[in-house]
Amino acid sequence: GQRELRDQSYPFQNMPCLPLQESLKQTSLYDFHRHHGGKMVAFAGWSLPVQYTHSHLESHLHTRQHCSLFDVSHMLQTKVFGRDRIKFIESLVVGDIAELKPNQGTLSLFTNERGGIMDDLIVTSTSDQHLYVVSNAGCRDKDFALMKNKVKEMKAAGCDVDLEVSDNALLALQGPAMARVLQAGVSDSLAKLPFMTSAVMSVFGVPGCRVTRCGYTGEDGVEISVPASRAVELAELLLKDSTVWLAGLAARDSLRLEAGLCLYGNDIDESTTPVEASLIWTLGKRRRAAMDFPGASIILAQIKEKPKRKRVGLTSSGPPIRQHMPILSPEGKAIGEVTSGCPSPCLQKNIAMGYVESDYSKLSTALTVEVRKKSCPALVTKMPFVATNYYTVK
């Protein structure tokens, strides 16, 4: 296990990451990454750092113990304006967006008419009369087309709604030291900014930054939407605190897996429903009653009848569990497949998630995973694997 954890070549098994090719998009921090020793790889059409000078293991543990800075500018950031903006977004997602308080956000899902997940996204209802939406880079074209077509359709019906793509950079500062580090650069108390809320503020003298208390690591953290022309300046200012290390896609992947968070394209996609993916909590109560989101009849029928398969967490010792490995019942029958897996730096055992037939989805069910033609014992385990530390105000 330890040798595996130290092995620099393993980190990135879950994300579809390729050697650099021509015509990759670059974030405004591309030269900054190179300057700081970032090892660049292709991810979702972008050139992004997989790691820097520290090993993946060191970077992962540093985020859990202190804090790390990630460039997530590849994510699609959109703003939705107009009187009918709530009606617009609720015609595409499963969540209750109308009930959000000013500057409160929620994780939601775009679904299709078959109940499949088209993407996961965070929607914030800002106090500035617009919705702020952050969705995945890999679904950028699909998401934008979906939203643009809906705007066109609603405008034709006389609705008031407009869409704007933000070209801001997006920096994620994640880890238990985040609040101390960031507080030095903002005037308002971060104690007043709980998990999944957002505010516009000046950060270390860079005005007009939208700071949202969220992230993809399971730790307390923020994502800072910053004008692209000042992103490098802000990153350098954050790095002035020696607690802050730069982190890349490798650590981001193992951190989110320990936190039990889905990666779109691996753990959820258009063939999985919110019910199968154990994401029923994203369905707004009012929305369920009204059955007025795409795929509602299929999704609600699945809640009633129980789906055929479910996303579960798995733990094991021995060789690492990887995406696409078959999951078998104790009798050796194929009952599902691993969708993400890696050795957990914090737990020093293998963690994974995947889909199994619902009969086998109960916690502590003993299963096996087929690793290179060998059967390795695995246990259905509650997620998150590592306790999350979000900053919530009681």
Side-chain angles (χ1 to χ4, degrees):
Q2 276 301 309
R3 187 194 59 75
E4 180 70 35
L5 285 174
R6 278 199 298 271
D7 175 6
Q8 293 288 283
S9 63
Y10 106 75
F12 211 57
Q13 300 293 336
N14 297 312
M15 295 196 175
C17 127
L18 307 158
L20 283 184
Q21 305 129 344
E22 293 309 304
S23 80
L24 287 173
K25 294 191 278 249
Q26 297 177 355
T27 74
S28 51
L29 291 136
Y30 178 81
D31 292 331
F32 166 90
H33 297 313
R34 299 285 301 264
H35 174 72
H36 286 278
K39 182 180 164 201
M40 309 305 285
V41 297
F43 176 70
W46 293 77
S47 174
L48 290 166
V50 64
Q51 62 189 69
Y52 295 84
T53 50
H54 297 103
S55 73
H56 168 211
L57 176 62
E58 288 170 324
S59 177
H60 177 112
L61 295 174
H62 185 86
T63 312
R64 290 265 180 260
Q65 290 153 7
H66 305 287
C67 75
S68 298
L69 182 65
F70 301 79
D71 177 14
V72 291
S73 308
H74 57 302
M75 307 282 278
L76 175 62
Q77 301 177 72
T78 41
K79 293 179 181 178
V80 187
F81 297 90
R83 203 173 46 245
D84 296 307
R85 61 188 181 275
I86 304 279
K87 182 179 169 186
F88 159 81
I89 200 76
E90 287 195 349
S91 72
L92 301 174
V93 304
V94 300
D96 189 342
I97 308 305
E99 71 158 10
L100 292 175
K101 298 179 182 74
N103 294 319
Q104 188 186 7
T106 185
L107 178 79
S108 200
L109 307 169
F110 286 132
T111 45
N112 62 30
E113 293 305 332
R114 296 180 306 283
I117 300 170
M118 295 183 71
D119 199 6
D120 57 325
L121 60 152
I122 290 180
V123 183
T124 301
S125 185
T126 74
S127 57
D128 303 331
Q129 305 304 301
H130 69 265
L131 301 173
Y132 169 59
V133 178
V134 180
S135 57
N136 285 304
C139 301
R140 192 182 182 96
D141 296 345
K142 175 173 79 171
D143 290 352
F144 187 59
L146 179 76
M147 291 190 279
K148 210 168 64 175
N149 291 337
K150 181 57 75 170
V151 164
K152 205 168 142 189
E153 179 192 313
M154 285 181 65
K155 277 185 171 233
C159 293
D160 174 32
V161 61
D162 278 291
L163 197 62
E164 181 188 295
V165 174
S166 166
D167 55 8
N168 274 10
L170 194 61
L171 296 176
L173 187 63
Q174 300 283 308
M178 179 283 294
R180 180 190 60 73
V181 170
L182 191 64
Q183 191 60 75
V186 301
S187 53
D188 277 349
S189 168
L190 292 172
K192 295 192 297 219
L193 192 75
F195 182 56
M196 295 308 284
T197 63
S198 183
V200 175
M201 59 186 81
S202 187
V203 182
F204 287 101
V206 179
C209 295
R210 176 167 289 282
V211 177
T212 307
R213 199 135 192 184
C214 66
Y216 197 43
T217 61
E219 296 299 328
D220 185 16
V222 290
E223 290 184 353
I224 306 169
S225 181
V226 53
S229 61
R230 303 196 65 176
V232 171
E233 177 190 346
L234 180 57
E236 295 285 15
L237 287 162
L238 290 166
L239 282 184
K240 275 193 172 153
D241 188 311
S242 61
T243 317
V244 181
W245 286 11
L246 290 169
L249 293 165
R252 186 168 158 81
D253 192 40
S254 51
L255 288 159
R256 68 92 195 168
L257 189 49
E258 285 186 342
L261 301 171
C262 293
L263 171 62
Y264 191 86
N266 283 41
D267 311 305
I268 47 175
D269 59 30
E270 290 191 30
S271 75
T272 57
T273 69
V275 188
E276 293 170 338
S278 305
L279 294 171
I280 293 178
W281 63 270
T282 61
L283 307 175
K285 217 181 193 154
R286 172 179 62 84
R287 308 298 311 277
R288 280 165 74 161
M291 292 184 67
D292 60 352
F293 53 86
S297 55
I298 292 173
I299 289 167
L300 293 169
Q302 268 191 1
I303 293 176
K304 235 206 221 99
E305 294 150 21
K306 300 278 180 283
K308 291 189 176 59
R309 57 177 190 157
K310 283 203 83 170
R311 178 175 66 97
V312 296
L314 297 170
T315 51
S316 78
S317 50
I321 304 180
R322 300 292 183 207
Q323 192 187 9
H324 301 311
M325 288 179 175
I327 304 171
L328 313 174
S329 72
E331 302 76 46
K333 178 181 95 151
I335 54 161
E337 186 177 272
V338 173
T339 53
S340 287
C342 73
S344 159
C346 291
L347 303 178
Q348 308 220 336
K349 58 183 168 185
N350 303 313
I351 57 171
M353 57 173 90
Y355 286 81
V356 297
E357 291 174 16
S358 292
D359 293 347
Y360 297 94
S361 64
K362 236 174 94 193
L363 291 182
S364 301
T365 303
L367 302 172
T368 62
V369 175
E370 196 180 297
V371 183
R372 295 190 286 277
K373 300 281 183 267
K374 279 203 190 91
S375 288
C376 294
L379 205 61
V380 177
T381 306
K382 192 175 181 349
M383 294 185 285
F385 300 105
V386 172
T388 56
N389 292 308
Y390 304 127
Y391 175 69
T392 48
V393 176
K394 299 288 173 279

